[in-house]
Amino acid sequence: MAAQPSGHTDAVRTKEASGDDWTEIWPILRHIAEAGETFCWPRDITEDQARAIWMQPAPNVVLVLRDGDRIAGTATLHPNLDGAAVHVANASFAVDLNSRDRKSTRLNSSH
């Protein structure tokens, strides 16, 4: 595995998030909420509020994009409706500020 100049590695992979990933997901989401540009969340959202929104149980799916040993991005996918329209879904993506210029973070949306 070759190290990149910025300290990143070639080991980029997407996996389903676990509760243990939250400590790395929260700073990404906090920065996005505070900026107030892309998510329609309160800029002062609490960690508990954000976790309740982002880390919902099935049928929702939460993914993380790992670049080596760190989380470079995250996504949440969930159905918009129940019943016959359950196949209609919504997704939100968040990328770590330090990874936004990395081509690897684009893999997040291809999962």
Side-chain angles (χ1 to χ4, degrees), residues 1-12 65-73 95-105:
M1 173 169 18
Q4 302 294 323
S6 63
H8 299 280
T9 66
D10 289 330
V12 176
L65 177 72
R66 286 207 163 270
D67 187 353
D69 64 351
R70 57 182 284 283
I71 292 177
V95 178
D96 178 63
L97 183 62
N98 297 319
S99 299
R100 290 187 182 169
D101 61 346
R102 298 252 311 138
K103 184 178 179 183
S104 65
T105 57

Side-chain angles (χ1 to χ4, degrees), residues 1 16 19-20 35 49 55 60 68 72 79-81 87 98 102 110:
M1 173 169 18
E16 193 160 333
D20 293 339
Q49 290 169 324
M55 301 294 284
N60 294 12
N80 281 341
L81 304 166
H87 65 282
N98 297 319
R102 298 252 311 138
S110 67

